Amino acid sequence: MIATNYSTVRQNFKEYCDKAAKDFETIIITRERGDNVVMMSEAEYNNLLENLYVRRNPRYYNELVQSIEQLEKGEGQKRELIDE
């Protein structure tokens, strides 16, 4: 995570966009009067929304937790994907 001020981001906008998009860095843009802004890649944003969706739904979240526990105990099953 990088925190920097608005002027620095404005002067180096492409570089900060590249850090967010290519390096998956989260950039906190600080502003003089508060109301800071966060810059992140679209992929990271979509991942965040997906995680919020799963965690918000108790059924999905419990299924996920149970699946992780099964894998950690070695109870997972390997399956082949079918190409169609």
Side-chain angles (χ1 to χ4, degrees):
M1 186 177 317
I2 298 170
T4 188
N5 63 48
Y6 171 81
S7 297
T8 302
V9 172
R10 188 180 62 212
Q11 292 168 358
N12 303 288
F13 190 70
K14 181 189 180 313
E15 288 80 13
Y16 282 99
C17 286
D18 288 344
K19 285 180 189 219
K22 294 178 183 173
D23 300 335
F24 296 101
E25 281 284 357
T26 301
I27 295 131
I28 307 219
I29 303 167
T30 59
R31 298 168 71 189
E32 193 172 301
R33 295 189 179 135
D35 296 328
N36 296 342
V37 175
V38 175
M39 177 190 288
M40 65 175 61
S41 72
E42 181 180 16
E44 283 292 306
Y45 176 75
N46 289 335
N47 185 37
L48 178 64
L49 290 181
E50 183 177 342
N51 278 298
L52 288 173
Y53 176 78
V54 169
R55 288 181 176 256
R56 176 173 64 218
N57 185 319
R59 192 185 88 202
Y60 290 145
Y61 185 68
N62 288 333
E63 260 183 54
L64 178 63
V65 169
Q66 288 175 358
S67 296
I68 291 169
E69 288 172 356
Q70 287 174 346
L71 285 173
E72 289 173 346
K73 292 177 187 175
E75 298 173 356
Q77 295 179 2
K78 185 176 181 177
R79 298 186 180 204
E80 297 295 322
L81 295 177
I82 299 172
D83 276 334
E84 292 185 25

